[in-house]
Amino acid sequence: MRILILANYDVGLYQFRKELIEELLKDNKVYISLPYGKLVEPLKKMGCKFIYASVDRRGLNPIKDFELLVYYYELMKKVRPDLVITYTIKPNIYGSLACRALKIPYAVNITGLGTAFQKQGALRKLVTLMYKIALKKAKVVFFENCENRQIFIDEKIVPKNKTCLLNGAGVNLEKFPYIDYPTDSEPVRFLFIGRVMREKGVNELFKAMRMLRKNGVNCTLDVLGGYEENYESIIHRFEKEGWLNYHGFQDDVRPFIANCHCFVLPSWHEGMANTNLECAASGRPVITSNIHGCLEAVVEGKSGFLCEKQNARSLYEVMKKFAELPVEIRAEMGKCGWEHMIEVFDKKKVVEKTINHLL
């Protein structure tokens, strides 16, 4: 069987879908089409056939989007796949439209709804209409949280019987095993991993950190991730204040997780935040937004705390609450999160469920 996977980013495909691709490669020939990045080479070494595609991840240029649709159409005529699997909004829509035109079976992954669905308006109506047309003949549509799935059902984009709810991409418990909790209690080392952008809640996080420092809480913040928006000067300012350490994008986040006391992700929207899962699996308490795609990773009050999204005061209060806990209680929270990951988010279970709906 020839399987074609369409995506917009090598990092996400390799870091979160590697185990699924390994399973698909056992009995199938797998092609991947996406922009080139350094993690394409490991995917090729696994056995994937790489075909370059230019995908503008965040742009709204109709000419470029039409060119992507035409590209996918020609690509599928050339590869002649038996099944196409798509990830993220543009491959989902334009890849699906090409599949419909060529009558190729396709499976779609909704890894998050993105900015377009955050408020009512012309953009949301347009994206909803495009999804309705694109997904009409989909074999299955995978969702990573129940709220995203319900929105698609309510908007009549896809019927419930064509959907499959997964526990995110799951977490590899061998790659992210439990790590002994730090024995020191101060300074409290908070950690953020993600794209440095407004919708990941970085503004609220920076405000909360300054409030903590102002009120005498001895704490620091490590930030891992590339700039998606212009935050460089702000980051430099906070580094000079002495409480923020910026490390840029890191291939291996595990040493930073091991060193931290608590992971913080005050995101505005997520499909399922993999960083929450990875940090919880490593035995670190998690503070995150009380929204679907984030809250599933936390046993509230036992493995971490939830804050209101876009609310720096709410975030400050739970971070302060955590900072005041004895180190023994923090360590127990980490163990609770680790047990929750084993029970619910084991990647082996997620991959098995995915394969059962794909093939």
Side-chain angles (χ1 to χ4, degrees):
M1 191 173 182
R2 300 157 74 91
I3 298 174
L4 172 63
I5 298 175
L6 307 179
N8 71 0
Y9 192 35
D10 60 307
V11 173
L13 191 63
Y14 182 79
Q15 289 187 345
F16 308 131
R17 316 293 167 183
K18 175 175 172 277
E19 294 83 359
L20 173 63
I21 293 170
E22 284 173 340
E23 283 299 311
L24 293 173
L25 281 164
K26 288 179 179 177
D27 299 304
N28 308 281
K29 184 175 279 190
V30 178
Y31 296 80
I32 56 172
S33 184
L34 66 157
Y36 184 82
K38 61 183 177 180
L39 291 180
V40 165
E41 292 305 320
L43 287 162
K44 287 165 66 177
K45 285 179 182 175
M46 285 167 55
C48 297
K49 307 292 182 186
F50 171 69
I51 304 167
Y52 174 80
S54 177
V55 184
D56 185 3
R57 288 167 61 197
R58 302 190 69 195
L60 294 169
N61 186 322
I63 296 172
K64 283 188 176 181
D65 287 355
F66 180 73
E67 288 173 352
L68 180 63
L69 172 61
V70 172
Y71 177 81
Y72 281 153
Y73 182 85
E74 295 299 327
L75 172 65
M76 290 177 201
K77 281 172 61 178
K78 183 179 178 181
V79 173
R80 292 178 291 109
D82 300 296
L83 174 67
V84 175
I85 304 170
T86 68
Y87 292 96
T88 67
I89 185 167
K90 291 191 179 183
N92 284 349
I93 289 175
Y94 302 118
S96 296
L97 290 171
C99 287
R100 279 198 66 183
L102 294 166
K103 294 182 170 56
I104 297 169
Y106 60 103
V108 176
N109 288 267
I110 308 297
T111 54
L113 299 188
T115 306
F117 279 86
Q118 296 316 299
K119 55 186 178 180
Q120 298 293 336
L123 180 60
R124 176 166 176 161
K125 288 178 181 177
L126 175 62
V127 173
T128 298
L129 176 62
M130 293 177 78
Y131 259 133
K132 278 183 182 178
I133 298 166
L135 271 51
K136 189 172 183 180
K137 299 293 183 180
K139 179 178 182 178
V140 60
V141 182
F142 294 102
F143 293 86
E144 296 194 349
N145 73 63
C146 60
E147 182 181 47
N148 286 181
R149 179 170 73 164
Q150 196 58 49
I151 287 171
F152 269 53
I153 293 168
D154 291 345
E155 295 277 3
K156 295 183 169 51
I157 295 171
V158 64
K160 188 175 183 179
N161 64 357
K162 275 197 176 183
T163 69
C164 175
L165 182 61
L166 301 172
N167 288 323
V171 60
N172 186 325
L173 298 169
E174 294 168 8
K175 183 178 179 182
F176 292 93
Y178 179 82
I179 305 168
D180 288 340
Y181 197 79
T183 55
D184 62 328
S185 60
E186 285 191 352
V188 182
R189 293 184 295 277
F190 292 110
L191 172 67
F192 170 88
I193 304 170
R195 292 173 289 161
V196 182
M197 58 189 292
R198 201 167 56 107
E199 292 179 24
K200 291 293 180 182
V202 295
N203 290 347
E204 293 84 4
L205 179 55
F206 295 157
K207 285 178 185 176
M209 280 296 300
R210 296 189 97 190
M211 290 164 71
L212 288 166
R213 300 277 298 185
K214 183 180 178 182
N215 289 302
V217 178
N218 185 8
C219 59
T220 62
L221 174 66
D222 288 283
V223 174
L224 277 63
Y227 295 117
E228 284 281 325
E229 295 165 357
N230 187 19
Y231 275 90
E232 193 169 359
S233 62
I234 296 168
I235 293 275
H236 286 331
R237 188 167 90 240
F238 296 153
E239 283 185 307
K240 286 179 181 177
E241 290 182 9
W243 54 266
L244 189 149
N245 304 299
Y246 178 66
H247 305 278
F249 175 79
Q250 295 289 321
D251 290 322
D252 188 359
V253 299
R254 289 171 294 185
F256 298 92
I257 296 173
N259 185 58
C260 83
H261 291 111
C262 180
F263 178 69
V264 187
L265 180 69
S267 190
W268 297 4
H269 55 86
E270 294 284 344
M272 184 64 69
N274 292 288
T275 48
N276 279 344
L277 307 185
E278 291 166 357
C279 293
S282 304
R284 296 300 176 266
V286 171
I287 291 174
T288 193
S289 302
N290 189 18
I291 59 168
H292 286 289
C294 288
L295 63 86
E296 290 86 352
V298 174
V299 182
E300 171 65 354
K302 294 183 178 180
S303 73
F305 298 113
L306 300 173
C307 66
E308 295 306 310
K309 72 171 184 177
Q310 294 178 258
N311 188 329
R313 168 60 63 173
S314 173
L315 179 59
Y316 158 76
E317 287 171 355
V318 293
M319 290 175 76
K320 185 173 184 290
K321 186 177 180 180
F322 176 83
E324 292 170 348
L325 293 173
V327 69
E328 296 81 10
I329 300 297
R330 298 180 197 167
E332 285 302 315
M333 293 181 84
K335 283 184 180 175
C336 179
W338 168 63
E339 290 166 355
H340 181 52
M341 291 303 108
I342 293 171
E343 184 181 347
V344 179
F345 288 98
D346 185 347
K347 188 178 282 284
K348 290 177 182 176
K349 296 176 185 176
V350 174
V351 168
E352 182 181 3
K353 186 174 182 181
T354 306
I355 293 287
N356 288 340
H357 281 79
L358 282 174
L359 304 178

